[in-house]
Amino acid sequence: MTKAPEQIRPEPRAGIMDIAAYVPGKSTAAAGVAKVHKLSSNENPLGASPHAIEAVKRLAEKMEYYPDGSAARLRQAIAATHGLNPANIMCSNGSDEILGLLAQSYLSPGDEAVFTEHGFMVYRIYIQAAGATPVVAREADEKADVDAIIAAVTPKTRIVFLANPNNPTGTYLPFEEVRRLHAALPKNVLLVLDAAYAEYVRRNDYEAGVELVAANENVVMTRTFSKIHGLGGIRIGWVYAPMHVIEVLERMRGPFNVNAAAIEAGVAAMEDRAHVDRTVAHNAEWAEWLSKEFNALGLRVTPSVGNFLLVHFPEDAKHSAAAADDYLGARGYILRGVTGYGFPNALRMTVGTEEANRGVVAALTEFLRS
Ligand SMILES: *Cc1c(COP(=O)(O)O)cnc(C)c1O
């Protein structure tokens, strides 16, 4: 097909315009609402550590200086807290960046990468952005199914992405299951364990993946400061990976991918264990309370180990998830619609402050009576 000269313009690589761009959780409520409670992006209702806030204020006086491109102090702080070798850690502009770099580094057109039915949506985007083919493994009971993932692996598979715990379901795989998955994967397939919510999990049979990374050449674990540390806005993620993967990612990342404020905030947050403990305790208390209250209202809640709940609504149109979303939004409670994740009649709610949690339950009580 030849084009007239006036129709010629720069064209992106094939496949890029097929990507459905990520739609973040809403952050505004209906006009005129007195107070907005944003419960749509799994942010920390207690905010960031006060030490992190101070560190960013101090950094504001020195913004003319480039950051340390290797984020050495931040890697040291992470390593000290988690008992890891800092050489096996790379930091990033949110863990999303790592997920994208892994896809760009290990996927070529024609390759396949696997993730699960209700898995985190960002995987599909990065797989497509690398020109590779997304392959979806079905879930069982809203939970990753190791046998289905193994069955989805073909000779073309290069990466398996597993969010553990998963967003938006909040379900997790016990570590024995993750081990079983790894044992069944060919050695040239990279297993990406996305442990964005690891700190919230209080289950004896859960592990984020440190040991599996340390003992193998084909496993990496990604983590984030956006969730438990309350630093979503400043963008810090990290990966723990074998040296050969670090050497690849170091070539692919931007030279200053973690900004100076992020480094300062991250070091302070990592060292503030008390803030992490407070957050975990708040979450455990209110996640349980919310689940019970929703169940008492007749709403099914997917069992969650994270800082959010997937709440399922009745079949009648008057009380659907979409109607509930409008009702809550009009009262300042912003939840997350999850139609794109295969749950057209559910909403995901981040565990909020006491005020927000009680407010949502009160509003839904009225809504269901209406
Ligand atoms: C929130 C989230 C992330 C990462 O977020 P960043 O802010 O980019 O670090 C990664 N994976 C899952 C499953 C998440 O829910």
Side-chain angles (χ1 to χ4, degrees), residues 94-96 99 120 123 163 165 167 194 196-197 224 226-227 235-237:
S95 59
D96 282 351
L99 300 170
F120 189 41
Y123 309 142
N167 167 16
D194 176 350
Y197 300 95
T224 182
S226 301
K227 307 290 159 59
R235 314 300 303 129
I236 317 171

Side-chain angles (χ1 to χ4, degrees), residues 73-358:
R73 280 174 51 240
L74 181 53
R75 288 187 298 112
Q76 279 292 350
I78 295 167
T81 297
H82 291 271
L84 307 174
N85 180 349
N88 291 95
I89 295 170
M90 192 180 95
C91 296
S92 57
N93 186 45
S95 59
D96 282 351
E97 185 189 15
I98 300 272
L99 300 170
L101 292 175
L102 289 166
Q104 290 295 332
S105 304
Y106 290 96
L107 298 176
S108 302
D111 291 342
E112 296 174 356
V114 178
F115 56 92
T116 67
E117 190 180 346
H118 305 296
F120 189 41
M121 210 113 75
V122 157
Y123 309 142
R124 175 188 290 277
I125 293 175
Y126 287 135
I127 294 163
Q128 287 182 285
T133 305
V135 175
V136 178
R138 62 165 179 74
E139 297 190 2
D141 295 331
E142 298 166 358
K143 193 156 69 166
D145 178 338
V146 165
D147 294 304
I149 298 172
I150 294 168
V153 172
T154 77
K156 292 180 179 170
T157 307
R158 290 291 166 271
I159 300 182
V160 171
F161 289 101
L162 180 70
N164 196 29
N166 184 49
N167 167 16
T169 53
T171 56
Y172 77 106
L173 281 188
F175 210 62
E176 277 316 306
E177 282 291 281
V178 179
R179 265 185 221 288
R180 187 163 77 79
L181 168 61
H182 173 257
L185 292 179
K187 285 195 173 356
N188 66 340
V189 172
L190 185 66
L191 176 60
V192 178
L193 300 176
D194 176 350
Y197 300 95
E199 296 87 347
Y200 284 108
V201 186
R202 305 197 310 167
R203 290 285 194 285
N204 290 333
D205 59 356
Y206 174 80
E207 279 176 51
V210 168
E211 282 173 46
L212 213 51
V213 174
N216 295 282
E217 295 276 49
N218 67 334
V219 187
V220 305
M221 171 188 73
T222 63
R223 302 288 287 263
T224 182
F225 283 72
S226 301
K227 307 290 159 59
I228 192 99
H229 294 293
L231 293 174
I234 211 156
R235 314 300 303 129
I236 317 171
W238 55 282
V239 65
Y240 176 55
M243 261 341 279
H244 73 97
V245 175
I246 295 288
E247 283 163 14
V248 169
L249 296 176
E250 284 290 347
R251 286 166 167 78
M252 293 293 284
R253 71 171 173 87
F256 303 103
N257 62 331
V258 184
N259 71 69
I263 292 173
E264 298 305 321
V267 170
M270 205 26 91
E271 290 172 351
D272 190 351
R273 300 312 297 169
H275 188 70
V276 170
D277 293 346
R278 269 196 301 277
T279 303
V280 171
H282 174 91
N283 189 66
E285 177 185 348
W286 288 101
E288 192 190 333
W289 184 84
L290 283 167
S291 299
K292 280 199 189 128
E293 295 288 327
F294 290 145
N295 286 336
L297 290 174
L299 302 175
R300 181 171 73 83
V301 179
T302 305
S304 171
V305 294
N307 67 334
F308 54 89
L309 299 172
L310 185 64
V311 187
H312 303 266
F313 285 80
E315 286 308 321
D316 70 294
K318 216 178 143 216
H319 297 122
S320 67
D325 199 18
D326 290 344
Y327 191 92
L328 291 168
R331 286 154 185 78
Y333 302 104
I334 306 175
L335 276 65
R336 180 76 145 101
V338 282
T339 300
Y341 282 99
F343 295 110
N345 204 23
L347 294 175
R348 190 191 69 195
M349 175 187 173
T350 305
V351 174
T353 58
E354 173 171 357
E355 183 191 359
N357 298 334
R358 291 191 186 281

